[in-house]
Amino acid sequence: MNYDTAEAVACLTSVFLEVLKQKLPTLESFEDEVLSIGHDVMLQAMVASLELFDDGLCDAYAPGVTIKEKRPRSLATRIGDACFARRVCTDRYGNPVVPLDEVLDLPHGSRISPGAANFLLSAGIEVSYAKAAYLLELSGGSSVSARSVMGILRKSGSRCAQDDTAAAHELFVNGVLPDAEENAKELYLEADGTYIPLQDGTDVEIKACVAYAGKTAGSKVERIAPVRH
């Protein structure tokens, strides 16, 4: 979808030009100021648009739904802490309805936006929980704890395990072949594990396996279409 951003560009150009004139910064400090102002403006605009969108949702909601109250919600996002108010309603049966949360698919009780959670998940796979949280804040996002990052990865792991269980049930019980990028007449499987000592004196086994369609011949043997888990 295309948006007319000319007015926004013109306004920001005027603001940034004043920064150059008044502070006479170096290019590095000017860039930092641009990012700071830009994130602040985007955050305010994001909050305002959420609240305006919520107003429209409630006005056009299904018959029998009544507005009960406006309730604040705070989310850690990729552009900072977003604090906005949205309306809580009741349907004709007396059940609570939060139109904005339902339409935008905001998880109930979550304090981290889906976008920020995805960022932390991707970063947390590669670096420590604390470093992942630091990277979000360094990029202009909210400040979150390492424990929050750990919770996101654990929830993701739990969902992956549920998906694996469901896929195995579909395959071995219902005989439904899963979607795949590769199709092989023969499947080779290698598996192994290694034990790692923990600080409490116990050991935990890290398991790994690889499935592949065969091996190439030549000076360097490689697996064909390997899938590792």
Side-chain angles (χ1 to χ4, degrees), residues 188-194 205-212 223 227-229:
Y188 300 84
L189 183 68
E190 297 177 18
D192 201 352
T194 182
E205 184 183 11
I206 305 298
K207 299 179 180 180
C209 68
V210 57
Y212 54 95
R223 296 183 179 92
V227 177
R228 298 175 176 84
H229 180 69

Short mmCIF file of all heavy atoms in Angstrom, two decimals, residues 188-194 205-212 223 227-229:
data_model
loop_
_atom_site.label_atom_id
_atom_site.label_comp_id
_atom_site.label_asym_id
_atom_site.label_seq_id
_atom_site.Cartn_x
_atom_site.Cartn_y
_atom_site.Cartn_z
N TYR A 188 17.87 -40.97 4.89
CA TYR A 188 18.92 -41.39 5.81
C TYR A 188 18.85 -40.53 7.06
O TYR A 188 18.56 -39.33 7.00
CB TYR A 188 20.30 -41.25 5.15
CG TYR A 188 20.45 -42.08 3.90
CD1 TYR A 188 20.00 -41.60 2.67
CD2 TYR A 188 21.03 -43.34 3.96
CE1 TYR A 188 20.12 -42.36 1.52
CE2 TYR A 188 21.16 -44.11 2.80
CZ TYR A 188 20.71 -43.62 1.59
OH TYR A 188 20.84 -44.38 0.46
N LEU A 189 19.12 -41.14 8.20
CA LEU A 189 19.00 -40.43 9.47
C LEU A 189 20.19 -40.75 10.36
O LEU A 189 20.56 -41.91 10.53
CB LEU A 189 17.70 -40.83 10.18
CG LEU A 189 17.37 -40.11 11.49
CD1 LEU A 189 17.06 -38.64 11.22
CD2 LEU A 189 16.19 -40.77 12.18
N GLU A 190 20.79 -39.71 10.91
CA GLU A 190 21.87 -39.86 11.89
C GLU A 190 21.49 -39.08 13.14
O GLU A 190 20.95 -37.97 13.05
CB GLU A 190 23.19 -39.33 11.33
CG GLU A 190 23.70 -40.07 10.10
CD GLU A 190 24.96 -39.46 9.54
OE1 GLU A 190 25.62 -38.69 10.29
OE2 GLU A 190 25.30 -39.70 8.36
N ALA A 191 21.75 -39.68 14.30
CA ALA A 191 21.39 -39.02 15.55
C ALA A 191 22.46 -39.29 16.59
O ALA A 191 23.13 -40.33 16.58
CB ALA A 191 20.03 -39.52 16.04
N ASP A 192 22.62 -38.35 17.50
CA ASP A 192 23.60 -38.50 18.58
C ASP A 192 23.24 -37.51 19.68
O ASP A 192 22.31 -36.71 19.54
CB ASP A 192 25.02 -38.22 18.05
CG ASP A 192 26.09 -38.84 18.94
OD1 ASP A 192 25.73 -39.34 20.02
OD2 ASP A 192 27.27 -38.80 18.56
N GLY A 193 23.96 -37.60 20.76
CA GLY A 193 23.71 -36.68 21.87
C GLY A 193 24.97 -36.51 22.69
O GLY A 193 25.89 -37.34 22.64
N THR A 194 25.03 -35.44 23.44
CA THR A 194 26.17 -35.20 24.31
C THR A 194 25.65 -34.67 25.65
O THR A 194 24.65 -33.92 25.69
CB THR A 194 27.14 -34.17 23.69
OG1 THR A 194 28.25 -34.00 24.56
CG2 THR A 194 26.48 -32.82 23.48
N GLU A 205 21.20 -33.96 28.65
CA GLU A 205 21.63 -34.43 27.34
C GLU A 205 21.10 -33.49 26.26
O GLU A 205 19.91 -33.19 26.20
CB GLU A 205 21.11 -35.85 27.07
CG GLU A 205 21.61 -36.40 25.74
CD GLU A 205 21.04 -37.78 25.41
OE1 GLU A 205 20.10 -38.20 26.11
OE2 GLU A 205 21.53 -38.40 24.45
N ILE A 206 21.98 -33.03 25.40
CA ILE A 206 21.61 -32.25 24.23
C ILE A 206 21.57 -33.20 23.04
O ILE A 206 22.60 -33.76 22.65
CB ILE A 206 22.61 -31.11 23.97
CG1 ILE A 206 22.76 -30.23 25.22
CG2 ILE A 206 22.17 -30.28 22.78
CD1 ILE A 206 21.48 -29.54 25.64
N LYS A 207 20.39 -33.39 22.48
CA LYS A 207 20.23 -34.34 21.38
C LYS A 207 20.23 -33.60 20.04
O LYS A 207 19.79 -32.47 19.95
CB LYS A 207 18.92 -35.11 21.54
CG LYS A 207 18.85 -35.93 22.82
CD LYS A 207 17.52 -36.66 22.93
CE LYS A 207 17.47 -37.48 24.22
NZ LYS A 207 16.17 -38.21 24.35
N ALA A 208 20.74 -34.28 19.03
CA ALA A 208 20.77 -33.70 17.69
C ALA A 208 20.60 -34.81 16.66
O ALA A 208 21.02 -35.95 16.89
CB ALA A 208 22.09 -32.96 17.44
N CYS A 209 19.94 -34.49 15.55
CA CYS A 209 19.80 -35.46 14.48
C CYS A 209 19.80 -34.73 13.14
O CYS A 209 19.55 -33.53 13.08
CB CYS A 209 18.52 -36.29 14.64
SG CYS A 209 16.99 -35.38 14.39
N VAL A 210 20.11 -35.47 12.09
CA VAL A 210 20.09 -34.91 10.74
C VAL A 210 19.48 -35.95 9.81
O VAL A 210 19.81 -37.13 9.88
CB VAL A 210 21.52 -34.50 10.29
CG1 VAL A 210 22.47 -35.68 10.35
CG2 VAL A 210 21.48 -33.95 8.88
N ALA A 211 18.57 -35.53 8.97
CA ALA A 211 17.97 -36.39 7.95
C ALA A 211 18.40 -35.86 6.59
O ALA A 211 18.49 -34.64 6.39
CB ALA A 211 16.45 -36.37 8.07
N TYR A 212 18.70 -36.78 5.66
CA TYR A 212 19.17 -36.34 4.36
C TYR A 212 18.84 -37.39 3.30
O TYR A 212 18.48 -38.53 3.61
CB TYR A 212 20.67 -36.05 4.39
CG TYR A 212 21.52 -37.19 4.90
CD1 TYR A 212 22.12 -38.07 4.02
CD2 TYR A 212 21.72 -37.37 6.27
CE1 TYR A 212 22.91 -39.12 4.47
CE2 TYR A 212 22.50 -38.41 6.74
CZ TYR A 212 23.09 -39.29 5.85
OH TYR A 212 23.86 -40.33 6.30
N ARG A 223 26.27 -34.15 2.54
CA ARG A 223 24.91 -34.68 2.61
C ARG A 223 24.02 -33.93 1.61
O ARG A 223 24.18 -32.72 1.40
CB ARG A 223 24.34 -34.54 4.02
CG ARG A 223 25.07 -35.36 5.07
CD ARG A 223 24.39 -35.21 6.43
NE ARG A 223 25.06 -36.01 7.46
CZ ARG A 223 26.03 -35.55 8.23
NH1 ARG A 223 26.46 -34.29 8.08
NH2 ARG A 223 26.57 -36.32 9.15
N VAL A 227 18.43 -31.87 6.66
CA VAL A 227 17.55 -31.14 7.60
C VAL A 227 18.00 -31.50 9.00
O VAL A 227 18.02 -32.68 9.37
CB VAL A 227 16.07 -31.51 7.39
CG1 VAL A 227 15.20 -30.79 8.43
CG2 VAL A 227 15.61 -31.17 5.99
N ARG A 228 18.39 -30.51 9.77
CA ARG A 228 18.94 -30.77 11.12
C ARG A 228 17.96 -30.34 12.20
O ARG A 228 17.20 -29.40 12.02
CB ARG A 228 20.27 -30.02 11.27
CG ARG A 228 21.34 -30.48 10.29
CD ARG A 228 22.59 -29.62 10.38
NE ARG A 228 23.64 -30.10 9.50
CZ ARG A 228 23.74 -29.80 8.21
NH1 ARG A 228 22.84 -29.01 7.65
NH2 ARG A 228 24.72 -30.28 7.48
N HIS A 229 17.99 -31.04 13.31
CA HIS A 229 17.09 -30.72 14.42
C HIS A 229 17.83 -30.99 15.73
O HIS A 229 18.45 -32.04 15.87
CB HIS A 229 15.83 -31.58 14.35
CG HIS A 229 14.86 -31.30 15.45
ND1 HIS A 229 14.17 -30.10 15.54
CD2 HIS A 229 14.49 -32.04 16.51
CE1 HIS A 229 13.39 -30.13 16.61
NE2 HIS A 229 13.56 -31.29 17.22
#
